[in-house]
Amino acid sequence: KKDVPPELQRLARKLEKVWSAVQAFADDSGRKLSPVFIRLPTRKELPNYYELINRPIDMVKIQRKIQRFDYYDAEACRQDFLLMYSNAQLYN
């Protein structure tokens, strides 16, 4: 972490807050919407998912990318969230 530029450290802290807000989001009845996005199903559980979805991603992968400072701007993280939602729409 010492060799990570301060601006990337600040970005990662902000993205962690966004990630936490997405994870905590609930509908009007109080039901959290994130559990289905936390971890992808395994290839054994849903083999056809991996045949249909070219770039699978889940919240755990996004969080890992945040923690590894893989995002150089907020837009890249946003695109991963959009990809995750798009994958869910395509599959369902």
Side-chain angles (χ1 to χ4, degrees):
K1 190 172 178 176
K2 288 181 181 182
D3 57 343
V4 176
E7 60 272 9
L8 282 184
Q9 291 180 27
R10 283 191 297 276
L11 175 63
R13 284 192 296 273
K14 289 177 183 177
L15 294 178
E16 276 288 345
K17 289 179 183 179
V18 170
W19 187 93
S20 294
V22 171
Q23 188 270 335
F25 188 78
D27 64 14
D28 293 337
S29 68
R31 181 178 65 97
K32 284 181 118 180
L33 302 177
S34 65
V36 297
F37 295 103
I38 297 293
R39 173 88 49 202
L40 284 168
T42 66
R43 289 183 188 274
K44 188 175 182 179
E45 293 169 327
L46 285 177
N48 63 341
Y49 179 86
Y50 292 91
E51 293 170 7
L52 184 62
I53 303 301
N54 294 326
R55 293 182 48 217
I57 191 165
D58 57 23
M59 293 209 31
V60 169
K61 287 182 184 177
I62 293 171
Q63 186 178 41
R64 208 172 296 135
K65 287 176 80 171
I66 293 169
Q67 292 169 343
R68 290 188 321 230
F69 305 101
D70 287 349
Y71 294 117
Y72 289 93
D73 58 34
E75 180 60 24
C77 184
R78 178 181 173 274
Q79 289 300 318
D80 276 350
F81 274 109
L82 292 175
L83 174 63
M84 182 178 68
Y85 299 134
S86 174
N87 287 349
Q89 287 178 325
L90 178 62
Y91 185 74
N92 294 312

